């Protein structure tokens, strides 16, 4: 009976652990790869049918989607590795390399689109089989829209910047396709052939904006940017009851590292407290923080309110090293010395 219960526990864990198993995210990368290959084929057919440089630019961006998806697959695989001796904080930052590379590829694709559009702007060329070409391009856009929504939902659920960058790139591709379709349709209605390369140049400008945004977010991640303001406000609400009870906190630092969040905090308590009492307080604070911010890894440091050196390490770099004194005789604590934790 005990073995059966253990088996059921393992089975339930296997069914519910998907939200925390980072390796499961690679399946979304494979979905993005399949979508990129399909849309490249569809948009290439649309370009061959119509000769539209706008549709050609759309196909080039889908090729960038494929390269980005392959990079995402590689980086998600690395990010899923557990912490080791060389990477004690895990491999989560690998995701920033994926989003950074994808953003750079987007910028290169914009340059390629502009290079292809400018000659056509100077020497216009009539479009052919516009209706059929537009139909094929619409089908490709619908594929991108569906996959982008799936990736965006997964990125929010798993806090993955790689999936988020891939999703927004695909959504940019969708809006790009809409612009191209409008341009080609306008050419068919007005007969003004220069509308097609003009729209292609506008597409390139839109891609540049998207690429810069993705690269900027990747750089901020590599620079250990603090947690969002909303989550910092949650943290302050957690600490407020403890501060009101007489405990003080300082040297609070947060950073985002891919899907993982880190937080360090110094907690100051009366000098007469025992180590056990201080430890119990820290355990309570850490538990409340993890409840409010489930993805955070908490590091706390206990200090004495009565020791002046406790206030010398509020900055990141400590300028002075306090003299090392002989350990004092342990203080006796009253029998009612349990930590007074704030009421939940």
């Amino acid at each position: 009976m005990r073995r059966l219960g253990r088996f059921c526990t393992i089975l339930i864990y296997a069914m519910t652990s998907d939200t925390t198993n980072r390796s499961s995210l690679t399946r979304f990368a494979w979905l993005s790869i399949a979508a990129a290959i399909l849309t490249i084929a569809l948009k290439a057919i649309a370009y061959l049918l119509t000769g539209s440089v706008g549709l050609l630019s759309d196909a080039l961006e889908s090729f960038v989607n494929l390269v980005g998806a392959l990079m995402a697959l590689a980086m998600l695989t690395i990010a899923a590795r557990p912490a080791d001796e060389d990477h004690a904080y895990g491999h989560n930052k690998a995701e920033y390399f994926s989003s950074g590379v994808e953003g750079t590829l987007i910028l290169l694709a914009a340059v390629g689109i502009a290079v292809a559009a400018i000659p056509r702007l100077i020497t216009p060329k009539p479009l052919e089989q516009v209706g059929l070409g537009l139909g094929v391009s619409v089908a490709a856009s619908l594929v991108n829209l569906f996959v982008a929504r799936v990736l965006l939902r997964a990125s929010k659920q798993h806090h993955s910047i790689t999936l988020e960058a891939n999703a927004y790139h695909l959504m940019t591709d969708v809006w790009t396709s809409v612009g191209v379709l409008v341009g080609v349709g306008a050419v068919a209605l007005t007969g003004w052939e220069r509308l097609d390369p003009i729209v292609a140049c506008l597409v390139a400008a839109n891609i540049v904006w998207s690429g810069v945004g993705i690269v900027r977010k990747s750089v901020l991640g590599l620079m250990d940017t603090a947690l969002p303001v909303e989550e910092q406000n949650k943290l302050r609400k957690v600490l407020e009851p403890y501060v009101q009870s007489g405990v003080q906190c300082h040297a609070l630092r947060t950073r985002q590292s891919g899907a993982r969040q880190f937080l360090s905090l110094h907690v100051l308590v009366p000098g007469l407290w025992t180590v056990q009492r201080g430890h119990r307080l820290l355990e309570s604070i850490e538990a409340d923080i993890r409840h409010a911010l489930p993805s955070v890894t908490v590091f706390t440091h206990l200090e004495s309110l009565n020791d002046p050196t406790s206030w010398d390490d509020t900055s990141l770099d400590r300028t002075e090293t306090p003299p090392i004194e002989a350990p004092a005789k342990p203080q006796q604590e009253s029998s009612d010395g349990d930590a007074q934790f704030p009421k939940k």
Side-chain angles (χ1 to χ4, degrees):
M1 192 68 180
R2 182 177 299 177
R3 289 183 178 179
L4 178 60
R6 183 179 180 184
F7 173 77
C8 292
T9 300
I10 295 175
L11 180 61
I12 293 174
Y13 174 80
M15 294 173 62
T16 59
S17 62
D18 182 63
T19 58
T20 56
N21 184 7
R22 305 300 300 173
S23 62
S24 66
L25 300 187
T26 56
R27 71 182 188 273
F28 295 105
W30 282 112
L31 175 62
S32 182
I33 291 171
I37 294 174
L38 179 59
T39 54
I40 287 173
L42 291 173
K43 291 179 181 180
I45 292 173
Y47 164 69
L48 293 175
L49 290 174
T50 64
S52 166
V53 70
L55 291 176
L56 174 62
S57 69
D58 218 4
L60 287 175
E61 189 180 359
S62 294
F63 182 77
V64 175
N65 290 347
L66 175 59
V67 176
L70 291 171
M71 182 69 177
L73 175 63
M75 293 301 102
L76 285 172
T77 302
I78 295 175
R81 295 175 182 174
D84 53 35
E85 292 184 2
D86 294 328
H87 305 87
Y89 292 92
H91 299 78
N92 297 276
K93 279 194 174 182
E95 292 200 42
Y96 292 120
F97 291 100
S98 173
S99 56
V101 168
E102 185 166 3
T104 303
L105 290 174
I106 292 174
L107 297 177
L108 294 176
V111 173
I113 292 171
V115 169
I118 291 175
R120 190 68 64 88
L121 184 63
I122 299 173
T123 307
K125 181 180 178 180
L127 305 181
E128 302 174 358
Q129 302 188 58
V130 173
L132 182 57
L134 292 181
V136 175
S137 184
V138 167
S141 298
L142 292 176
V143 172
N144 278 335
L145 178 62
F146 170 76
V147 176
R149 299 302 301 174
V150 172
L151 294 182
L152 190 59
R153 184 168 58 250
S155 71
K156 293 180 179 179
Q157 179 182 357
H158 299 279
H159 305 284
S160 171
I161 187 176
T162 296
L163 295 181
E164 180 184 2
N166 215 332
Y168 280 118
H169 186 193
L170 289 176
M171 284 304 299
T172 301
D173 197 6
V174 171
W175 289 114
T176 297
S177 299
V178 171
V180 171
L181 293 175
V182 170
V184 174
V187 171
L189 292 175
T190 65
W192 190 29
E193 296 169 353
R194 281 190 171 89
L195 274 176
D196 179 41
I198 288 174
V199 171
C201 290
L202 293 176
V203 166
N206 180 55
I207 293 175
V208 168
W209 179 262
S210 174
V212 169
I214 293 175
V215 171
R216 179 180 179 274
K217 193 166 187 177
S218 301
V219 171
L220 289 176
L222 292 173
M223 293 292 291
D224 287 334
T225 304
L227 298 185
V229 176
E230 298 79 9
E231 298 190 353
Q232 293 191 40
N233 290 335
K234 291 181 181 179
L235 177 60
R236 293 188 181 95
K237 290 182 180 179
V238 169
L239 297 177
E240 185 177 354
Y242 292 97
V243 175
Q244 292 177 351
S245 68
V247 173
Q248 294 193 36
C249 304
H250 68 207
L252 173 62
R253 299 182 181 91
T254 64
R255 66 183 179 94
Q256 184 81 38
S257 178
R260 186 180 289 275
Q261 300 170 332
F262 292 96
L263 180 154
S264 63
L265 173 69
H266 293 186
V267 180
L268 293 84
V269 300
L272 291 178
W273 279 27
T274 63
V275 173
Q276 178 64 21
R277 183 175 180 180
H279 173 70
R280 290 184 58 194
L281 175 66
L282 295 185
E283 287 292 330
S284 178
I285 292 175
E286 292 180 13
D288 288 346
I289 292 175
R290 285 192 294 267
H291 179 74
L293 304 173
S295 299
V296 74
T297 298
V298 187
F299 300 98
T300 53
H301 174 61
L302 190 67
E303 295 183 317
S304 170
L305 280 169
N306 308 107
D307 189 344
T309 60
S310 298
W311 307 93
D312 293 339
D313 57 357
T314 56
S315 62
L316 185 61
D317 296 316
R318 190 165 188 165
T319 57
E320 295 183 357
T321 302
I324 301 176
E325 300 179 356
K329 184 178 180 180
Q331 301 279 354
Q332 295 293 327
E333 193 173 39
S334 59
S335 57
D336 58 346
D338 289 337
Q340 300 298 315
F341 304 131
K343 296 180 180 179
K344 301 292 192 294

